[in-house]
Amino acid sequence: GDRGRVLTLHERALINDILDISIQDVARPVRKALAEKLAASTNAPREVTALLANDEFDIASPILLNSGLLEDEDLMDIVAGKASERLPHVVESGAGDNLYVYLVGHGGSEGVVIAAASASEATSAVQGESQVLSAEHLGRTFEAMFDAGRYRRTLVVVEACHGGVLGTAMHAPGVLVLSAANPHENSLGHNYDPSLRAWLADEFSFTLHRRLAGERTEPVRALYEHVYHQVAGSHVSVYNVAGFGDLDDVSMAEFIMP
């Protein structure tokens, strides 16, 4: 009979409505398993995927890391505080708040890829086959956030190959972009585990967070200079210094609480 029949748009909408209502009543292990399943699907319901992406971290992480159904617009809406039925949980910030935004992913000459699981997928994405967060989109988002009074200062950290691309169009007042690499080079791995045959961290992130674990009161300039000299595999870079202000006058304690 109907085995293999493609659902109509109306039928899919009805199913989405039912899932939207019932998903929050589902037990955590079931939601987690569902998130892992949908993250690998190319035709999962966007509304349900978005709900799971806004769930607790261990449930949301498979969606955020692997699902191609979350787009660059979704990511920027979350950062900018644009709540909707599909994205109910967003960053709720105001004019007195300092934001610390950490972007991690595979990067290329066009920006950072959203939900690429490998460098090869990232290469395909920057050639137009997937979603890419561009420098222009990031810059426009923070300019609009400034106009709307959504932050006091913001530090955007980018851990990605060619990550400096994201800083090239940043002109929003009070925003500094700190990147693991300049726009023309890769960000390299660190701490290789031969038993796993895998790098356990990226050199930039490992160095940055090891420093922050012991020292959070130093000025942003001191942190930048320390990481710049310690990371040998790439050129750690900062962007929009003129728009951000004097790096000696701003402490990392403004962005990271004890």
Side-chain angles (χ1 to χ4, degrees), residues 97-116:
D97 292 318
N98 295 323
L99 304 183
Y100 183 46
V101 180
Y102 209 98
L103 298 174
V104 181
H106 295 287
S109 59
E110 301 300 320
V112 173
V113 183
I114 306 300

Side-chain angles (χ1 to χ4, degrees), residues 181-241:
N182 68 33
H184 313 291
E185 65 185 358
N186 291 332
S187 174
L188 302 184
H190 195 65
N191 295 347
Y192 185 76
D193 187 328
S195 65
L196 297 175
R197 297 182 180 179
W199 296 96
L200 302 183
D202 286 304
E203 186 180 17
F204 167 75
S205 288
F206 179 80
T207 303
L208 176 67
H209 286 283
R210 184 172 59 177
R211 181 71 170 185
L212 289 174
E215 178 56 76
R216 296 181 181 177
T217 60
E218 67 180 351
V220 173
R221 184 185 301 279
L223 175 67
Y224 162 62
E225 291 178 349
H226 172 81
V227 177
Y228 179 89
H229 289 296
Q230 292 297 315
V231 175
S234 61
H235 296 85
V236 177
S237 304
V238 289
Y239 300 86
N240 197 36
V241 174

Side-chain angles (χ1 to χ4, degrees), residues 160-184:
C161 295
H162 307 272
V165 168
L166 287 187
T168 57
M170 182 59 71
H171 307 294
V175 179
L176 185 74
V177 178
L178 173 63
S179 173
N182 68 33
H184 313 291

Side-chain angles (χ1 to χ4, degrees), residues 79 91-102 142 145-146 149-157 173-176 216 220 243-244 249-258:
V79 172
V91 177
E92 298 178 356
S93 59
D97 292 318
N98 295 323
L99 304 183
Y100 183 46
V101 180
Y102 209 98
F142 278 99
M145 288 175 65
F146 176 78
R150 304 292 296 186
Y151 67 86
R152 175 175 172 265
R153 287 194 181 101
T154 295
L155 176 60
V156 179
V157 177
V175 179
L176 185 74
R216 296 181 181 177
V220 173
F244 182 77
D249 290 340
V250 182
S251 165
M252 285 302 300
E254 295 191 22
F255 302 100
I256 302 177
M257 298 295 291

